[in-house]
């Protein structure tokens, strides 16, 4: 991303390397913030509402006007697996004003799942944690490890953030034996992969509703290993969410990997 073109009137970012940032936040009346693993960097000059709007247009590839349906969900999926969160004023015809942006940067960390992989191998596993703890990054590496080990793996990449397919090929490494369906609701994509691609492993990011849970349980009943993520601080918090109560234990996920903070060792829980 060329930040000199995105924010041409903010000179302090000209020599900045944001590639390692986890998030970049832009709010009118406040300087740009970049959140790195080691801390927060902040610019000097407050940004204007017009600069926020121009930055959103540039980051979206100048497609905001034709992506109103996607903006109803609060974010846009960008090339490379990045996600642009958009807050603003919504009207009958869509987004009227942008009040802030949160660019969540996708990072490929090959090997981050190496220690975990032998402990979950052959077991349906869900990765739990708050936003920003690296769930998708770990999921991607576990997919890669299964695929590289010879398992036929199907990936339901609803937001394009796991494999970041572009031009018919994944831009992020999900292994040589992976088949990806992008930009389709994950519950439908899981069932299509199950029927069409004869997978041994299926993967999906951010389970969130009862339809997702039904599809996951159906796939597990068919003998497929499931890898998934969900926002939750604990297994108990997950099963207390509507529609999620059957996901853990008999007939559901056998392992839960708990991520609490970036850089903190994950905890693996056997679900009985």
């Amino acid at each position: 991303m060329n930040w000199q073109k995105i924010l041409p009137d903010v000179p302090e970012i000209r020599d900045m390397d944001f590639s390692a940032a986890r998030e970049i936040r832009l709010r009118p009346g406040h300087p740009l913030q970049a959140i790195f693993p080691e801390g927060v960097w902040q610019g000097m000059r407050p940004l204007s509402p017009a600069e926020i709007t121009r930055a959103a247009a540039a980051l979206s590839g100048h497609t905001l006007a034709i992506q109103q349906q996607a903006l109803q969900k609060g974010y846009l999926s960008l090339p490379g697996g990045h996600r642009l969160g958009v807050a603003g004023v919504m009207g009958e015809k869509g987004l009227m004003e942008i009040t802030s942006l949160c660019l969540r940067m996708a990072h490929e960390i090959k090997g981050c799942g190496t220690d975990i992989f032998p402990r979950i191998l052959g077991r349906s596993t869900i990765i739990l944690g708050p936003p920003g703890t690296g769930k998708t990054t770990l999921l991607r590496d576990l997919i890669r490890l299964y695929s590289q080990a010879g398992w036929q793996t199907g990936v339901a990449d609803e937001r394009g953030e796991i494999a970041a397919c572009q031009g018919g090929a994944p831009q992020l490494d999900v292994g040589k034996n992976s088949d990806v369906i992008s930009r389709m609701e994950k519950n439908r994509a899981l069932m299509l992969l199950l029927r069409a691609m004869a997978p041994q492993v299926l993967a999906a990011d951010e389970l969130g509703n009862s339809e997702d849970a039904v599809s996951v349980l159906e796939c597990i009943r068919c003998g497929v290993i499931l890898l998934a993520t969900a926002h939750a601080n604990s297994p108990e918090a997950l099963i207390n969410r509507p529609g999620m109560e059957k996901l853990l234990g008999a007939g559901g996920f056998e392992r839960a990997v708990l991520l609490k903070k970036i850089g903190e060792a994950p905890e693996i829980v056997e679900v009985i």
Side-chain angles (χ1 to χ4, degrees):
M1 296 179 183
N2 188 337
W3 284 93
Q4 287 183 259
K5 290 185 178 180
I6 295 169
L7 292 171
D9 298 323
V10 184
E12 63 261 33
I13 69 171
R14 289 176 185 169
D15 298 321
M16 283 293 299
D17 180 5
F18 292 118
S19 60
R22 289 169 37 218
E23 296 177 359
I24 297 174
R25 294 183 175 269
L26 297 85
R27 298 181 176 101
H30 300 277
L32 178 145
Q33 277 190 343
I35 302 173
F36 293 89
E38 61 272 16
V40 178
W41 177 90
Q42 184 167 289
M44 294 179 288
R45 183 175 67 75
L47 301 173
S48 69
E51 285 178 312
I52 304 294
T53 300
R54 288 197 298 269
L59 288 165
S60 72
H62 300 281
T63 63
L64 285 177
I66 62 174
Q67 294 207 62
Q68 288 296 327
Q69 185 173 358
L71 286 168
Q72 296 288 330
K73 297 180 180 179
Y75 66 88
L76 298 177
S77 296
L78 305 183
H82 309 302
R83 185 196 302 189
L84 180 64
V86 182
V89 180
M90 302 300 295
E92 293 182 1
K93 296 183 179 180
L95 185 67
M96 297 172 58
E97 296 178 7
I98 295 173
T99 56
S100 58
L101 302 174
C102 175
L103 178 63
R104 294 179 60 183
M105 305 286 283
H107 293 288
E108 186 173 52
I109 305 176
K110 292 184 182 181
C112 67
T114 300
D115 292 340
I116 294 172
F117 185 59
R119 301 170 63 187
I120 67 163
L121 183 61
R123 305 289 185 183
S124 290
T125 301
I126 188 163
I127 303 166
L128 304 177
T133 49
K135 296 186 297 297
T136 302
T137 302
L138 178 57
L139 175 66
R140 184 187 303 113
D141 201 52
L142 293 175
I143 292 168
R144 181 186 67 86
L145 290 167
Y146 263 110
S147 181
Q148 292 299 109
W151 296 67
Q152 299 301 324
T153 305
V155 182
D157 195 3
E158 182 174 1
R159 298 183 308 275
E161 296 175 4
I162 302 173
C165 289
Q166 192 171 357
Q171 302 304 296
L172 300 174
D173 190 357
V174 290
K176 62 183 180 180
N177 290 305
S178 291
D179 304 299
V180 183
I181 293 180
S182 295
R183 313 293 183 177
M184 176 185 286
E185 293 89 346
K186 64 179 71 69
N187 54 77
R188 292 178 55 212
L190 286 170
M191 300 311 297
L192 283 175
L193 287 162
L194 179 67
R195 294 168 184 151
M197 304 308 296
Q200 297 168 288
V201 180
L202 283 170
D205 203 10
E206 291 193 12
L207 303 183
N209 56 45
S210 57
E211 288 82 4
D212 296 342
V214 168
S215 297
V216 162
L217 294 172
E218 178 63 24
C219 292
I220 292 175
R221 281 193 288 267
C222 290
V224 178
I225 295 163
L226 253 294
L227 297 174
T229 72
H231 292 309
N233 290 320
S234 66
E236 293 74 24
L238 178 70
I239 61 177
N240 285 331
R241 291 169 59 183
M244 300 290 186
E245 58 276 357
K246 296 181 180 179
L247 277 179
L248 301 181
F253 290 104
E254 302 168 83
R255 299 284 188 275
V257 178
L258 309 183
L259 301 179
K260 297 180 180 179
K261 293 181 181 179
I262 288 287
E264 189 173 294
E267 178 186 355
I268 300 178
V269 177
E270 182 175 356
V271 182
I272 301 174

